[in-house]
Amino acid sequence: MTDPKKRKISSKLHGDKLTAEYRAGEKAFKGLFYVEDKTMICRFCQHSVDWVRRNTVVDHIASKKHAKAVELAKGKPAERQATLQSAFRGSGGTSQERRGNFQKDFIRMMATADIPIEKVAAMKPFLMKYCSDGGALTSAQNLRTLYLPRVFEDHAIALKATLKDKLVSVIVDETTDHRDKSVLNIVVGDMDKLYLIDVIFMTECTAKSLSKTVLTSLTSNSIDFDNVCAFVTDNAAYCKAAWRILEPILTSAIHVGCMCHILNLVGEDFVKVFKEVKQFVNDIRNAFKRQPARKRRYLRHLSAQPDAEEDGEEDGEEDGEPARSACLPPEPCASRWGTWEKAVAYHSTHLQEYASFFDEEASNADNINRIREVLGDEGKRARLQLEMNFIKESTPKIQFTLTKFEGNSPFAPVMYACVDDLMSYLMRGTTKVQFGPKTDDGLSSLPHAEKNRYIETFHECFTLALQKMSKHTDSSMAMDFYKLARVFDPRQVATVSHDIASYANLPGLSNPPDSLQEEWAIYMSSAKDQLPEDFKLHEFWKAMKLRIPRLAQIALQTIWLKTTSVDTERSFSQYKTLLTDKRESLSEPHTKQLLMLRYNGDVEKRLVV
């Protein structure tokens, strides 16, 4: 006969009576485990153990890992801690599934926060002490080779689902990293949302390879060619040649030359003739580069000047001049013209301080000697001051426009007017004789012949900039689009045609049905209403979805057409922080996976099915 006691025990191990609490309370396991949220957790290893099968628990206790944890704890189990287990483990599932989810969530967190995976060894003691399942965290090698590809696979699936059937702008740019590899990043814009869909490492970037790579990337991400409304690149010749290859395939798209890149080229041509200013800016940059002691001496010298603010902070402006402050000169960046202009503006107000400071410096480096020579010669210094004042007073219009377009706003409807205003400004500059208070004051002190030569030089600056601007905009198909897109800005409706037939080249407005024409009439009528002072174009069209849903959707897609490639530049900035000198051995696939996870963030959570 069967022992009644054994039957009693057996009944407890089946059905609802078999619980994590029961298993943890068994005599053989007592004191080794505790239960939280229906999960049995090892007090020594600090991770969950599958309690359903008794043999699994026995195997865990007999494992080398558990024995090592007991030895490290000197036989004293860790105290039970308050945990964030729900955030790390998720809900439900077997112990193995929960531990796998923990690893994957940990990878997502590390990638999003840009924390190197190899730091996991230093983080593990903390996680074991304060987090349930912290001991389940595997090695950095396993996280990188096993779990990172799994997380990226989930991310890629969510990305495809997010972009399915969406009209997108494809933004492409290329750079060379410090390993001398050509890196091509492809970002797509879905209205105000941006996603990095591919990172490609290439031996060389040509028109043929670029066009082929773009088509391959779109296909792998299940983006229909007909859903591409814009192909955004810089204005390099090979990018324009790539568009000529893609144009017959991306039939619904237009080629958009990055407006920020155009303005950068315009700014470079504007100051092309000022070789002495360029040399001076470069010499000042090199004088302070990697010279911490000289920087400290300069700040002390500047603070001692009667015009300097001791607190080192700007306290406002007077008569249009920035307040003087004890701060280092801005460092110009070759790829960002605006930083060079800011450096010139700073230098123009600190020539006197530079002269006294570099006279006291003991260095006889070539760049220091050139600075002393220019600032020590009254005539050279006066010419340098005049040219810097001209640049400072004549370039803010270019700089303001450039800075404006670097943001993430619906610029398409206002782009035409901004470009037209800048062209008019440059055109006026080719003939004007007054350039700004400081510049005019410097000109007035010159002999008549020399004054006229400088005026001719200043006119040449405006002419060169105007020619560069015209070269990149006159034949641009994007400018035709921007001109039509003005109709979706109610602030400009009074200046454009009200006939819907005039906008047949805009996506969604060719052969409009009666229902869409009725919505168009409603919009034209409501656009005459007074707009609030804090008017926001995007919010306006989101609100109009209630009255004219179809036209509002077309308008939102039009106003959010991407006009610059600055978003790929931002992805390159993240790339540079990811691939540091200490992480040069990171493989190309892992580099791509980590960068996309960081740039796109929690795309899986944002996905609405």
Side-chain angles (χ1 to χ4, degrees):
M1 293 180 62
T2 305
D3 190 336
K5 290 184 177 180
K6 289 185 178 181
R7 285 200 304 270
K8 185 176 181 181
I9 293 174
S10 178
S11 66
K12 291 181 179 180
L13 300 179
H14 291 82
D16 295 336
K17 293 183 179 180
L18 177 58
T19 63
E21 287 82 1
Y22 175 84
R23 187 69 80 194
E26 283 192 44
K27 185 176 181 180
F29 309 140
K30 200 164 186 179
L32 298 179
F33 303 95
Y34 66 91
V35 177
E36 183 169 338
D37 192 27
K38 299 181 181 181
T39 301
M40 191 173 76
I41 300 170
C42 177
R43 290 184 181 274
F44 294 92
C45 301
Q46 283 297 300
H47 69 73
S48 60
V49 177
D50 195 345
W51 49 266
V52 177
R53 296 176 62 86
R54 192 176 190 278
N55 288 344
T56 304
V57 183
V58 172
D59 290 342
H60 171 77
I61 295 174
S63 67
K64 292 181 180 180
K65 182 177 179 181
H66 178 79
K68 186 177 180 180
V70 173
E71 181 181 352
L72 291 174
K74 297 180 180 180
K76 295 181 180 180
E79 293 183 3
R80 179 170 173 172
Q81 303 289 341
T83 70
L84 298 175
Q85 59 184 7
S86 59
F88 284 106
R89 287 199 312 270
S91 58
T94 65
S95 174
Q96 185 177 4
E97 290 173 342
R98 287 194 294 268
R99 291 173 64 180
N101 290 336
F102 174 81
Q103 316 280 2
K104 293 166 74 172
D105 285 345
F106 188 82
I107 281 287
R108 291 187 184 96
M109 179 274 295
M110 297 283 279
T112 303
D114 193 28
I115 302 174
I117 295 177
E118 55 266 24
K119 299 293 185 183
V120 67
M123 301 171 67
K124 194 167 183 177
F126 174 86
L127 295 173
M128 289 179 65
K129 183 176 180 180
Y130 291 104
C131 299
S132 294
D133 268 355
L137 192 62
T138 186
S139 65
Q141 178 69 13
N142 286 341
L143 285 173
R144 187 182 298 110
T145 58
L146 297 178
Y147 289 98
L148 177 57
R150 297 174 190 174
V151 170
F152 183 74
E153 184 179 358
D154 293 342
H155 180 84
I157 292 172
L159 196 58
K160 289 180 182 179
T162 301
L163 297 173
K164 185 179 180 182
D165 299 328
K166 297 290 181 64
L167 292 178
V168 297
S169 299
V170 177
I171 312 165
V172 179
D173 205 354
E174 178 263 344
T175 191
T176 303
D177 64 17
H178 65 271
R179 297 185 296 190
D180 293 327
K181 291 186 177 181
S182 181
V183 184
L184 182 73
N185 281 6
I186 302 178
V187 174
V188 299
D190 169 25
M191 289 199 279
D192 59 331
K193 300 179 182 65
L194 296 158
Y195 304 95
L196 178 62
I197 65 167
D198 220 338
V199 179
I200 302 101
F201 299 89
M202 310 171 71
T203 54
E204 62 175 349
C205 195
T206 63
K208 186 176 180 179
S209 62
L210 175 58
S211 56
K212 181 179 179 180
T213 301
V214 168
L215 293 177
T216 301
S217 181
L218 293 176
T219 302
S220 64
N221 284 278
S222 302
I223 297 176
D224 194 310
F225 293 164
D226 291 337
N227 287 339
V228 178
C229 56
F231 179 62
V232 188
T233 68
D234 63 22
N235 296 274
Y238 79 93
C239 292
K240 295 180 179 179
W243 168 246
R244 289 193 288 272
I245 299 173
L246 292 170
E247 189 173 8
I249 303 171
L250 305 179
T251 56
S252 301
I254 62 171
H255 180 231
V256 176
C258 174
M259 187 54 65
C260 288
H261 183 246
I262 293 174
L263 293 175
N264 193 69
L265 296 175
V266 169
E268 289 177 354
D269 275 24
F270 191 93
V271 298
K272 183 185 292 185
V273 300
F274 299 118
K275 297 180 180 179
E276 291 80 7
V277 174
K278 290 184 176 181
Q279 183 65 60
F280 184 82
V281 172
N282 192 51
D283 286 340
I284 292 290
R285 176 180 178 272
N286 292 333
F288 288 105
K289 188 175 183 180
R290 298 175 183 173
Q291 297 288 340
R294 180 173 290 157
K295 290 177 180 178
R296 290 192 294 271
R297 290 195 299 270
Y298 175 72
L299 289 175
R300 287 196 297 269
H301 177 82
L302 201 60
S303 298
Q305 303 304 309
D307 290 337
E309 298 292 332
E310 294 183 358
D311 59 2
E313 295 181 359
E314 296 184 1
D315 60 356
E317 297 186 359
E318 183 177 352
D319 298 330
E321 287 293 324
R324 301 296 295 276
S325 61
C327 59
L328 292 170
E331 183 174 347
C333 175
S335 61
R336 292 176 61 87
W337 179 80
T339 60
W340 189 89
E341 183 269 345
K342 290 177 181 177
V344 171
Y346 177 95
H347 299 332
S348 70
T349 59
H350 289 79
L351 292 184
Q352 182 177 343
E353 289 80 6
Y354 285 151
S356 56
F357 173 73
F358 285 105
D359 279 345
E360 298 173 0
E361 287 293 287
S363 173
N364 284 315
D366 290 343
N367 61 311
I368 302 295
N369 288 333
R370 282 194 296 267
I371 293 172
R372 291 188 185 124
E373 179 186 353
V374 171
L375 298 181
D377 185 300
E378 187 175 343
K380 291 181 178 179
R381 180 170 164 180
R383 288 194 295 274
L384 182 68
Q385 183 73 71
L386 174 60
E387 291 173 2
M388 283 187 167
N389 285 338
F390 169 74
I391 294 171
K392 179 183 176 181
E393 293 180 329
S394 299
T395 58
K397 179 72 173 178
I398 302 173
Q399 177 60 28
F400 173 79
T401 309
L402 176 61
T403 304
K404 179 178 180 179
F405 292 151
E406 287 178 338
N408 184 26
S409 297
F411 290 126
V414 299
M415 183 65 73
Y416 185 85
C418 290
V419 170
D420 191 52
D421 289 347
L422 183 57
M423 293 278 280
S424 297
Y425 170 75
L426 296 174
M427 179 66 75
R428 292 196 304 272
T430 61
T431 56
K432 67 180 182 180
V433 294
Q434 292 183 324
F435 304 95
K438 295 268 186 178
T439 306
D440 295 342
D441 185 55
L443 288 172
S444 65
S445 63
L446 297 176
H448 183 71
E450 187 175 1
K451 176 182 177 180
N452 286 340
R453 284 197 297 272
Y454 261 113
I455 291 176
E456 290 177 2
T457 299
F458 295 161
H459 287 168
E460 182 183 359
C461 294
F462 282 100
T463 300
L464 290 173
L466 181 63
Q467 290 173 348
K468 182 67 72 172
M469 191 78 178
S470 299
K471 175 184 176 181
H472 289 287
T473 58
D474 286 353
S475 59
S476 170
M477 62 189 306
M479 290 304 298
D480 295 332
F481 178 89
Y482 299 147
K483 187 174 183 179
L484 296 176
R486 294 178 299 164
V487 73
F488 287 126
D489 185 351
R491 296 165 296 187
Q492 302 185 64
V493 164
T495 64
V496 300
S497 170
H498 290 195
D499 184 3
I500 192 172
S502 304
Y503 304 95
N505 289 333
L506 286 179
L509 293 184
S510 59
N511 300 317
D514 292 342
S515 58
L516 187 57
Q517 294 189 46
E518 290 176 4
E519 291 187 5
W520 179 271
I522 294 173
Y523 165 59
M524 285 299 167
S525 177
S526 62
K528 300 175 183 178
D529 298 339
Q530 187 173 0
L531 300 173
E533 293 183 2
D534 59 344
F535 174 80
K536 294 181 179 179
L537 186 60
H538 178 64
E539 296 298 329
F540 170 82
W541 280 109
K542 285 178 66 176
M544 291 297 282
K545 276 188 172 184
L546 296 174
R547 295 183 62 192
I548 46 176
R550 185 171 177 180
L551 184 63
Q553 185 63 28
I554 293 172
L556 285 168
Q557 291 166 349
T558 300
I559 67 175
W560 278 109
L561 181 131
K562 299 304 175 183
T563 59
T564 71
S565 60
V566 295
D567 298 300
T568 51
E569 294 292 346
R570 293 189 178 101
S571 71
F572 288 137
S573 297
Q574 293 185 5
Y575 179 87
K576 291 176 182 177
T577 62
L578 172 66
L579 196 66
T580 61
D581 293 339
K582 295 182 179 180
R583 304 173 76 181
E584 285 190 357
S585 60
L586 197 63
S587 69
E588 292 178 0
H590 291 157
T591 302
K592 169 183 174 177
Q593 292 163 4
L594 289 170
L595 180 60
M596 288 181 62
L597 287 170
R598 182 185 176 192
Y599 187 93
N600 296 330
D602 58 346
V603 65
E604 294 96 331
K605 293 181 180 179
R606 287 186 280 146
L607 174 61
V608 179
V609 181

